[in-house]
Amino acid sequence: EVQLVESGGGLVQAGGSLRLSCAVSGFTFGDYVIGWFRQAPGKEREGVSCITSSGGSTAYSDSLKGRFTISSDNAKNTVYLQMNSLKPEDTAVYYCAAVLIRTDCPTVWPSPHLYFASWGQGTQVTVSS
């Protein structure tokens, strides 16, 4: 069974930074796509970023480019989301999710509903103004 556990969320002032981690277990860390998503109160869940197992394909929400960076450490079975210059509108629960296939990010992301079958429990990020 695939398990994903997010960590690293918290309360930060506007302009600050956080690094979220997504620890993945339950499958051979081979071909996969990991997506980061977020959901603010009263809003739809939206795609934040995506990375493939090779690291050869990454993607970002257009509104977040330049502030967020996704990376992975296959030795640790962990995917990271570095978030800089945080804004109050970044406040949300952040989730990571997995698709266990060999493909590129644009094929399966940013929709959270079509392909991502395994989800973590989420981590709260709150940015104060």
Side-chain angles (χ1 to χ4, degrees):
E1 179 184 359
V2 179
Q3 293 186 326
L4 301 98
V5 179
E6 303 94 336
S7 61
L11 174 64
V12 64
Q13 289 187 333
S17 298
L18 284 173
R19 188 177 80 157
L20 305 184
S21 298
C22 174
V24 187
S25 62
F27 70 99
T28 301
F29 216 50
D31 296 328
Y32 66 86
V33 179
I34 299 291
W36 279 102
F37 301 85
R38 68 184 183 184
Q39 188 165 20
K43 294 189 176 181
E44 293 284 326
R45 190 168 297 188
E46 62 175 350
V48 173
S49 187
C50 173
I51 190 168
T52 57
S53 53
S54 66
S57 177
T58 59
Y60 298 90
S61 168
D62 286 343
S63 64
L64 302 174
K65 282 182 180 178
R67 296 194 297 123
F68 288 16
T69 303
I70 194 169
S71 62
S72 65
D73 184 337
N74 286 359
K76 295 183 178 180
N77 289 0
T78 301
V79 173
Y80 303 99
L81 184 69
Q82 178 67 42
M83 307 187 296
N84 298 328
S85 302
L86 284 163
K87 303 175 182 180
E89 51 263 44
D90 294 319
T91 295
V93 178
Y94 284 71
Y95 300 90
C96 62
V99 179
L100 304 184
I101 58 175
R102 177 183 293 181
T103 187
D104 59 3
C105 283
T107 299
V108 297
W109 181 93
S111 172
H113 306 297
L114 296 178
Y115 299 102
F116 288 91
S118 301
W119 289 81
Q121 82 289 348
T123 186
Q124 176 71 48
V125 171
T126 303
V127 184
S128 63
S129 58

